[in-house]
Amino acid sequence: MNRRKFIQNTALTGAGIATGVAAISCKEEATQQLEATDTSAEALVRPSYISISTWNTERANSTSGELLAQGKPALDAIIEGVAIEEANEKNTTVGIGATPDREGNVTLDACVMSPEGDYGAVLAVENIVHVAALARKVMEETPHVIMASKGAEEFAYTQGFKKQKLLTPASEKAWKEWLKTSDYQPEINVENHDTIGMLAMDTSGKIAGVCTTSGLGYKMKGRVGDSPIIGSGLFVDDEVGAAVATGMGEEVLKTVGSFLVVELMRNGMSPQKACEEAIQRIVKKGARYKDFQVAYIAMNKAGETGSYAIHEGFTMMKYQEGTSETIVSDYYTKKEK
Ligand code: SD4
């Protein structure tokens, strides 16, 4: 804990812009020069490890970062990291204590991707808190990649997961209050935030990713969002980098957002520019974007990171070299102000 330094990031304003841009262009130049002569250039300039996560998930991301610092593989670090939010009853969009569907059932979605490009996911699972770890079990212990609902839950018990009630007294109370109006109006950055997506590069330079959520609050029974769907909520290609999404899953699914971000990086865009372009694909479809939030975070093989959202209010956690930062994300609607 005492190694951590908390910085409210000012990279998007004032002096922060100048320093940030200068640092990035120096780094790009250094990368280019090294790449011209040495194929291991990325290994020479990248940070020794890095973990990033969506929203204000400092404890989870620092846990992952500290495990990476100890030399743990990226996949192990992120699964342990997100487990903190899955077990946090106060986080109403992940794990225990999450907001239920309209009928009062808490159903969770999660997926993982390994540096080898393997993938595992669980959809609409009830009674299991650590669904990211369960998604990993699907990836590693079954011949399949996606398991849903009761089948996924039964599989969890065979793997030693405990049955636990996910609807807490607080989430039940909030749901009963909601039932009085049954008004389904997801509010930007309010009821739908805190899905945790986490990407990490370990000390051997390998990248893995995870996403875990209860999805949209008061969704229809059986609704599944982008978070557990490969290429939409999450995509990792260890040759290029990784991206993870949060926000209105329906819109991320329609643009296959995380795969898009990774492919844009493959074609030479920085993580930042790639996130901006993926948001652009959503907003150019029409004015509906005014009513919902979507955000992406991404990292590339050089350990550069980026984040971008439609609306103000999105933050990314970043942990590298023993330091935790809160990055206040830039956003599309700023241009309209
Ligand atoms: C979903 N993308 O199920 C998720 C929700 C989310 O921050 O990310 N909320 O659509």
Side-chain angles (χ1 to χ4, degrees):
M1 280 297 282
N2 32 0
R3 279 188 296 117
R4 286 187 213 151
K5 207 167 103 206
F6 301 103
I7 299 168
Q8 275 302 322
N9 185 280
T10 51
L12 301 172
T13 54
I17 291 181
T19 335
V21 171
I24 288 164
S25 59
C26 277
K27 193 166 193 178
E28 275 170 4
E29 260 171 44
T31 310
Q32 279 159 12
Q33 277 167 15
L34 283 165
E35 271 172 355
T37 54
D38 181 353
T39 52
S40 65
E42 276 167 356
L44 293 174
V45 296
R46 70 162 192 251
S48 51
Y49 61 86
I50 180 162
S51 184
I52 56 174
S53 63
T54 54
W55 302 105
N56 195 12
T57 48
E58 195 280 324
R59 213 157 52 92
N61 196 54
S62 293
T63 298
S64 164
E66 285 164 6
L67 291 169
L68 295 169
Q70 292 163 22
K72 287 266 160 59
L75 192 58
D76 293 353
I78 56 179
I79 302 268
E80 275 200 52
V82 298
I84 289 187
E85 285 303 326
E86 290 173 332
N88 174 6
E89 289 193 17
K90 294 210 170 95
N91 184 333
T92 57
T93 57
V94 180
I96 193 162
T99 304
D101 65 17
R102 295 174 194 193
E103 293 171 37
N105 312 300
V106 178
T107 62
L108 305 178
D109 301 332
C111 77
V112 295
M113 277 193 83
S114 71
E116 292 70 39
D118 287 326
Y119 158 74
V122 290
L123 278 54
V125 185
E126 293 180 53
N127 302 317
I128 304 292
V129 176
H130 294 299
V131 280
L134 181 59
R136 181 180 188 172
K137 289 285 185 194
V138 171
M139 178 174 81
E140 293 177 344
E141 307 296 337
T142 79
H144 309 302
V145 293
I146 301 177
M147 294 187 75
S149 193
K150 283 282 163 243
E153 187 181 339
E154 282 163 22
F155 169 65
Y157 301 136
T158 70
Q159 299 297 309
F161 287 76
K162 279 202 221 87
K163 182 169 185 158
Q164 244 176 295
K165 191 172 181 215
L166 301 179
L167 192 70
T168 56
S171 54
E172 185 168 10
K173 190 167 166 234
W175 168 60
K176 289 196 169 141
E177 198 52 42
W178 176 81
L179 279 178
K180 289 182 186 162
T181 57
S182 298
D183 184 20
Y184 185 66
Q185 278 298 344
E187 275 179 67
I188 293 167
N189 296 332
V190 178
E191 80 178 37
N192 294 315
H193 73 83
D194 283 353
T195 284
I196 178 162
M198 191 180 283
L199 308 173
M201 181 189 283
D202 60 29
T203 50
S204 63
K206 292 198 180 304
I207 299 177
V210 63
C211 192
T212 177
T213 188
S214 58
L216 299 183
Y218 311 125
K219 61 194 176 185
M220 290 175 72
K221 185 177 182 182
R223 180 267 185 191
V224 172
D226 62 311
S227 300
I229 306 299
I230 188 169
S232 289
L234 174 74
F235 196 70
V236 176
D237 181 333
D238 190 53
E239 279 185 9
V240 176
V244 67
T246 179
M248 187 60 76
E250 281 72 4
E251 304 301 324
V252 176
L253 281 160
K254 286 185 260 181
T255 48
V256 199
S258 294
F259 183 70
L260 175 62
V261 172
V262 173
E263 290 309 292
L264 291 167
M265 293 194 292
R266 187 193 307 281
N267 291 327
M269 271 190 199
S270 67
Q272 182 60 37
K273 284 273 168 269
C275 291
E276 289 174 20
E277 174 61 25
I279 290 293
Q280 190 66 39
R281 297 278 174 105
I282 294 173
V283 301
K284 77 179 184 198
K285 289 170 123 184
R288 282 181 306 128
Y289 72 83
K290 292 185 194 296
D291 300 327
F292 59 78
Q293 175 69 299
V294 171
Y296 293 102
I297 66 171
M299 84 165 52
N300 66 13
K301 266 311 246 191
E304 293 166 327
T305 61
S307 70
Y308 199 65
I310 299 178
H311 298 280
E312 188 171 15
F314 177 64
T315 51
M316 171 176 85
M317 298 309 308
K318 179 169 177 174
Y319 189 100
Q320 87 184 32
E321 314 301 355
T323 298
S324 177
E325 278 183 78
T326 302
I327 311 277
V328 177
S329 188
D330 204 358
Y331 57 99
Y332 176 81
T333 55
K334 191 166 83 175
K335 294 177 186 160
E336 296 169 350
K337 285 187 175 165

